[in-house]
Amino acid sequence: MRFDIITIFPEMFQKIFSGGVIKRALEKGLIDIKVHNLRDFAFDKHRQVDDRPFGGGQGMVLKPEPIFLAVEKIRNDESSPVYLLSPQGRRFDFRFAENLAKYNQVILICGRYEGVDERVIQDLVTDEISIGDYVLTGGEPAAVVIIDAVSRFVPHVVGKMESVKYDSFSEGLLDFPQYTRPRVYREMEVPQVLFLGDHKKIECWRRRKSLEKTGRLRPDLLSAKELSEKNFLGKIQTEKKGMNNESH
Ligand SMILES: C[S@@+](CC[C@H](N)C(=O)[O-])C[C@H]1O[C@@H](n2cnc3c(N)ncnc32)[C@H](O)[C@@H]1O
């Protein structure tokens, strides 16, 4: 799987992929990341990549010609998706990441300033992607987020694919709480169930904790599809209230 990033700040990517899981994946050749300087595709006298907006207004806009030329040069296959990073785009999430990992090549265009000429959106890109409802100064941090999240779905990048399967969102729920040594820390004890060696009980406890946490922090994730899970959660909450009332 290969990622191609088009940016006016290629140096921003020098360190960010030089550690951890992504570094190992690069070393093993499981993924490849190519960073392209947009200025290398600007062929006018001043190698200009931006200009003032027609109609007036603040800031600068990235010109269409270098972006079109860059994509046309870099794209290996007509089916490789090309995404413009943009706060106006389709929201990037777990499923989007999983789906992108199926391609051999994904091209990411990083905007800057006021954004890019609209003709890039009209006639070049597959879609616009946003990493959230806020505005960054440029698309580079968003490209890093996308590459990191997509790479986790590339086979063998994460040592145990099992762990990806149980991560938050994989089944529409948040992950269960994790504990490690020491068993007691500042009077906080690790739940007893984790020491019983009863895997069925542990699984049930983890499922319950996942549901509780999702219900508390992200109730929106408990869609109609998980109605039975919702009922399960309702039951847990009723049980809990009952227990609290009993203890008062
Ligand atoms: C200052 S922003 C431009 C914002 C644009 N004028 C608007 O209001 O939609 C500069 C660049 O940062 C990137 N960017 C900003 N916020 C982003 C987000 N939430 N997701 C992805 N990219 C983002 C885009 O590439 C964008 O072209």
Side-chain angles (χ1 to χ4, degrees):
M1 157 121 222
R2 169 175 157 172
F3 299 94
D4 287 273
I5 306 168
I6 301 172
T7 170
I8 59 167
F9 295 119
E11 66 281 4
M12 284 180 76
F13 296 94
Q14 271 165 13
K15 272 265 173 226
I16 194 84
F17 298 121
S18 65
V21 171
I22 301 298
K23 179 189 175 199
R24 279 203 306 278
L26 285 165
E27 285 168 354
K28 287 185 190 163
L30 299 169
I31 60 166
D32 192 8
I33 302 170
K34 297 266 184 258
V35 184
H36 307 272
N37 190 341
L38 186 62
R39 288 186 201 285
D40 293 342
F41 298 90
F43 298 111
D44 64 308
K45 209 164 71 191
H46 304 290
R47 300 183 73 202
Q48 196 181 344
V49 290
D50 57 338
D51 211 333
R52 286 190 298 277
F54 280 132
Q58 294 295 309
M60 301 294 270
V61 176
L62 289 180
K63 289 161 65 64
E65 311 96 301
I67 301 180
F68 271 78
L69 288 177
V71 170
E72 282 158 8
K73 173 88 192 298
I74 293 163
R75 205 175 194 179
N76 286 336
D77 194 303
E78 274 303 302
S79 64
S80 301
V82 181
Y83 290 104
L84 172 68
L85 299 158
S86 161
Q88 301 171 21
R90 198 177 130 198
R91 183 77 69 82
F92 182 69
D93 64 9
F94 182 89
R95 292 277 162 246
F96 203 155
E98 191 176 23
N99 194 44
L100 284 192
K102 294 175 187 149
Y103 290 95
N104 291 328
Q105 183 188 29
V106 172
I107 301 173
L108 301 171
I109 305 168
C110 304
R112 276 273 152 185
Y113 316 125
E114 289 309 308
V116 309
D117 186 289
E118 189 68 18
R119 288 164 289 189
V120 168
I121 298 158
Q122 203 179 308
D123 200 46
L124 183 68
V125 302
T126 312
D127 214 340
E128 299 173 74
I129 312 190
S130 165
I131 60 160
D133 287 350
Y134 39 78
V135 177
L136 303 167
T137 57
E140 289 76 7
V144 172
V145 167
I146 289 167
I147 291 172
D148 193 292
V150 174
S151 297
R152 298 184 79 246
F153 288 104
V154 174
H156 312 296
V157 166
V158 173
K160 284 195 176 140
M161 216 41 194
E162 279 286 290
S163 59
V164 175
K165 228 170 70 188
Y166 289 112
D167 275 334
S168 294
F169 311 111
S170 58
E171 293 189 295
L173 296 176
L174 301 181
D175 201 359
F176 50 78
Q178 303 277 7
Y179 294 92
T180 186
R181 273 181 252 278
R183 200 165 163 158
V184 181
Y185 179 64
R186 298 195 178 187
E187 295 177 17
M188 291 177 283
E189 264 190 66
V190 176
Q192 288 293 328
V193 64
L194 299 176
F195 302 103
L196 299 178
D198 184 336
H199 296 293
K200 271 247 154 338
K201 270 200 179 139
I202 294 175
E203 203 182 308
C204 190
W205 178 86
R206 286 180 165 165
R207 187 77 181 164
R208 189 157 58 86
K209 288 291 166 191
S210 248
L211 278 160
E212 275 178 6
K213 205 164 184 188
T214 312
R216 184 160 40 87
L217 299 177
R218 293 291 306 273
D220 56 302
L221 293 176
L222 296 174
S223 62
K225 194 157 60 73
E226 275 97 32
L227 206 61
S228 59
E229 303 271 36
K230 252 187 187 168
N231 291 341
F232 181 52
L233 187 70
K235 238 171 84 188
I236 294 167
Q237 279 162 352
T238 323
E239 273 170 22
K240 261 190 152 177
K241 268 189 210 145
M243 274 160 63
N244 286 345
N245 289 344
E246 275 166 29
S247 58
H248 284 303

